[in-house]
Amino acid sequence: QSALTQPASVSGSPGQSITISCTGTSSDVGIYNYVSWYQQHPGKAPKLMIYDVSNRPSGVSNRFSGSKSGNTASLTISGLQAEDEADYYCTSYTSRTTWVFGGGTRLTVL
Amino acid sequence: EVQLVEAGGGLVQPGGSLRLSCAASGFTFSSYWMHWVRQAPGKGLVWVSRLNLDGTTTGYADSVRGRFTLYRDNAKNTLYLQMNSLSAEDTAMYYCAREGKVATLDFWGQGTLVTVSS
């Protein structure tokens, strides 16, 4: 199972918006709405930010939003803040009843 | 408060075995599917394995199938990962995670580090 494709890095200035893409296939992202996004700060465990493509868990800022079109899911962070600087990973359930993660995207807040 | 505490990591020689554990608290452990996810140093997250409520249905990544076995003791609120025939490619931080809503890993432990080296 190949990893989902994410850009290695993105950056933005405080207050701006950024979008991270996550491209899969018709065996994962394309056929399931089980796409989640995780934030990971250095040395910390991942934290769930978005589930089922576009739903936010309780306690996650509404500056985080998710969407999907075809085989590509996206995470958008609006009103960038310094504390958003972290690694972000997407994941999807697959037709083989396994999970696949993206390679991760390093977000830098300039 | 939901807590997942991994243990059992350490240094092991190539070809060796190790058993990881994940102690759960703050929720009804027997009501949740559980997962292991690993992260090699400086690399991304990789899904490893998943176990159903009563331990009868498992799923494994191709890279560990046949070498790793996932099981649970619901009476002890503990998840286990038995790892055999370890190689350097298995060196990673191993996280256990709870599957809350379907296909969503909503809580993660802090991880336990496994290093395979001679």
Side-chain angles (χ1 to χ4, degrees):
Chain A
Q1 180 76 52
S2 298
L4 305 176
T5 300
Q6 297 181 232
S9 63
V10 297
S11 62
S13 299
Q16 289 186 331
S17 294
I18 63 95
T19 296
I20 300 172
S21 62
C22 169
T23 301
T25 70
S26 57
S27 296
D28 39 64
V29 176
I31 57 169
Y32 295 106
N33 286 326
Y34 294 138
V35 176
S36 300
W37 289 89
Y38 299 87
Q39 177 192 65
Q40 187 180 36
H41 287 107
K44 300 296 186 181
K47 175 187 175 184
L48 176 66
M49 305 302 286
I50 295 287
Y51 68 95
D52 293 353
V53 174
S54 60
N55 293 297
R56 274 187 315 276
S58 174
V60 172
S61 171
N62 60 8
R63 297 185 298 105
F64 291 82
S65 61
S67 62
K68 190 185 86 168
S69 177
N71 294 340
T72 298
S74 298
L75 172 71
T76 298
I77 309 173
S78 59
L80 271 179
Q81 299 180 1
E83 58 262 35
D84 298 333
E85 187 163 290
D87 293 326
Y88 291 84
Y89 295 90
C90 61
T91 187
S92 174
Y93 182 66
T94 83
S95 60
R96 295 180 64 203
T97 66
T98 61
W99 272 255
V100 61
F101 279 89
T105 298
R106 173 72 50 89
L107 169 61
T108 301
V109 180
L110 303 171
Chain B
E1 178 193 7
V2 172
Q3 283 200 325
L4 297 170
V5 180
E6 300 93 336
L11 176 64
V12 60
Q13 292 191 337
S17 299
L18 209 56
R19 188 183 77 163
L20 307 183
S21 62
C22 170
S25 61
F27 66 101
T28 304
F29 179 69
S30 59
S31 297
Y32 290 86
W33 293 58
M34 298 294 295
H35 296 242
W36 286 94
V37 176
R38 68 184 182 183
Q39 186 172 34
K43 302 297 184 181
L45 300 171
V46 176
W47 179 80
V48 173
S49 183
R50 176 211 207 190
L51 185 63
N52 72 336
L53 304 183
D54 62 5
T56 57
T57 301
T58 53
Y60 298 96
D62 290 343
S63 58
V64 306
R65 187 176 295 112
R67 299 188 300 121
F68 289 14
T69 302
L70 182 56
Y71 61 102
R72 65 196 295 164
D73 185 336
N74 285 340
K76 295 183 177 180
N77 294 333
T78 302
L79 180 72
Y80 300 97
L81 184 67
Q82 177 66 44
M83 305 186 296
N84 299 328
S85 303
L86 288 164
S87 70
E89 288 68 41
D90 298 312
T91 293
M93 183 71 78
Y94 284 74
Y95 295 99
C96 72
R98 185 184 83 168
E99 183 176 337
K101 298 183 184 297
V102 174
T104 298
L105 305 182
D106 62 351
F107 282 97
W108 298 59
Q110 290 303 305
T112 186
L113 182 62
V114 172
T115 303
V116 184
S117 176
S118 55

